[in-house]
Amino acid sequence: MNDRRCIIWITAFIWLGLSRSTSGWLYPCRRSALGAFVLFKECTLEDVYITKETPLYRVFFPPVDLNIISGYIPELNRAVMGRVHNKTIRLTVGRLGVQKLFLKETLETLILEDNLIKGLEYDSADKLSLWNLKLDYNRLTDVSFVRDLKSLVILSLRHNRIESLHLDTFKGLHRLKTLDLGYNRLKQISGNDDYVIESVNRFILAGNAMLELDLSQVTMANVKFLNVSSNKLMSINMYKLEKTFPNLETIDLGNNPWNCDRIEQMKFKLHFKNVTHQGLTKAADSCSENHLDSVTLTNPEEVNRIESSLHNLQDFIFQQENRRLVNVRLEISHLRMEYLQMELNETKSSLETLIFKTRTLFQLYELRKTGNGNFKIIEV
């Protein structure tokens, strides 16, 4: 009985201690979630206003996880974050006009959505505990700041202003599992030859402006789910897709201006690779029916396959030469390589001719639409 009374008195004391007001600058919990033997495990704070004129020595936050939903904090700088208790490992900040952000070493989850952030700062990346970072609906144009955040497991940068991306940025993030870059302004993504990203298993590029999905210089070996919906894709080079994502299980392709013939080809190849696709069946109702486009979009994929066969044959010859095998076999291999090289050159030449003819037809079509009968096609 005495032990129970003691617990009640201690609980009441903690409640009063967290609920008291210090000249209006103590931010008490408005709503809370109770945890075992802990009065407050998480607090929702309202009307939190901290500007340059605020005397920070009068700012106190409860030593729990915080969810700040209203107010105005233009700078979550080093001084302001210093007022956040070390026991706060999860911080969520809603629409508070945050422009500058300093990462506190003790934070494990940081969610700052719908603010004005253009970048962030930290002292030592090696000391950070952050594994979950979500900066959706901000004003980011550059993601290089994440290069050293090696503890990240989840990174979400949806609805920002990112126009270009180099996958080398994520080279050192060996724990990263989810990479969400949806609804930015990406037109293409670059990477270095033979670069492998092994950790990511969910890669989201939905809602960008990509005309082509070409990540052939990079291998994302463990990606199981890929989302490229709501872009400007007419086709996907299936050879390059397989090369970049060898273990892909599900791909979302919805809401793109697909070419009708390519839809059927992609369906067949995805089914053959046992990859579940989303959005292609519905896309057949609104796809573009253009056979010239179909040929133009298909040929590069076939060229890539021939090039790959040629490279494989060259590697085989090199191995044979190193092993000093009989000259007859080498001569046969050289002949096969020359034949494939000839086929490749003819295919490339045909593709260039087809592209020129297609462009010429498009020019004729546009001129006819404008009603201008005086025109001349110039070969380039």
Side-chain angles (χ1 to χ4, degrees), residues 133 152-156 175-181 199-204:
L133 177 62
L152 281 180
V153 177
I154 299 173
L155 176 61
S156 181
R175 297 182 59 194
L176 189 63
K177 298 297 182 183
T178 297
L179 178 56
D180 191 343
L181 297 164
S199 59
V200 176
N201 54 38
R202 287 178 58 85
F203 191 26
I204 300 170

Side-chain angles (χ1 to χ4, degrees), residues 272-287:
F272 181 75
K273 294 295 181 181
N274 200 28
V275 177
T276 302
H277 60 81
Q278 302 171 0
L280 276 186
T281 303
K282 186 177 180 180
D285 298 331
S286 58
C287 60

Side-chain angles (χ1 to χ4, degrees), residues 4-20:
R4 183 176 298 177
R5 288 179 180 176
C6 183
I7 292 174
I8 292 174
W9 277 107
I10 292 173
T11 302
F13 176 77
I14 295 174
W15 178 278
L16 291 173
L18 291 175
S19 300
R20 62 188 174 87

Side-chain angles (χ1 to χ4, degrees), residues 5-163:
R5 288 179 180 176
C6 183
I7 292 174
I8 292 174
W9 277 107
I10 292 173
T11 302
F13 176 77
I14 295 174
W15 178 278
L16 291 173
L18 291 175
S19 300
R20 62 188 174 87
S21 174
T22 307
S23 302
W25 290 110
L26 175 65
Y27 293 109
C29 297
R30 298 291 189 266
R31 295 191 296 274
S32 62
L34 296 178
F37 305 109
V38 179
L39 182 61
F40 290 105
K41 189 175 183 181
E42 178 181 336
C43 284
T44 296
L45 309 182
E46 301 173 359
D47 301 326
V48 179
Y49 292 87
I50 302 176
T51 64
K52 292 181 179 179
E53 290 73 30
T54 304
L56 293 180
Y57 71 91
R58 299 170 69 181
V59 174
F60 298 93
F61 290 109
V64 292
D65 293 345
L66 303 176
N67 179 20
I68 307 175
I69 63 174
S70 65
Y72 180 59
I73 311 177
E75 294 188 12
L76 279 173
N77 53 31
R78 184 194 306 270
V80 176
M81 293 297 287
R83 308 307 295 174
V84 176
H85 201 280
N86 288 342
K87 291 184 178 179
T88 299
I89 61 174
R90 178 185 175 91
L91 176 63
T92 301
V93 179
R95 187 183 299 180
L96 270 71
V98 180
Q99 300 176 32
K100 294 184 178 180
L101 172 63
F102 177 81
L103 287 182
K104 188 178 176 70
E105 295 175 356
T106 53
L107 287 176
E108 296 181 4
T109 294
L110 181 60
I111 303 173
L112 271 81
E113 299 179 339
D114 208 358
N115 283 281
L116 307 174
I117 296 171
K118 296 181 180 179
L120 53 81
E121 298 176 352
Y122 46 85
D123 280 336
S124 173
D126 294 334
K127 296 181 180 180
L128 292 174
S129 304
L130 190 69
W131 66 269
N132 183 7
L133 177 62
K134 296 184 179 180
L135 299 176
D136 302 344
Y137 291 95
N138 279 281
R139 297 185 178 181
L140 296 170
T141 59
D142 179 32
V143 300
S144 59
F145 64 86
V146 307
R147 189 183 300 273
D148 298 320
L149 304 183
K150 302 183 187 302
S151 58
L152 281 180
V153 177
I154 299 173
L155 176 61
S156 181
L157 303 174
R158 295 168 67 89
H159 293 279
N160 277 280
R161 302 177 180 181
I162 304 166
E163 295 184 1

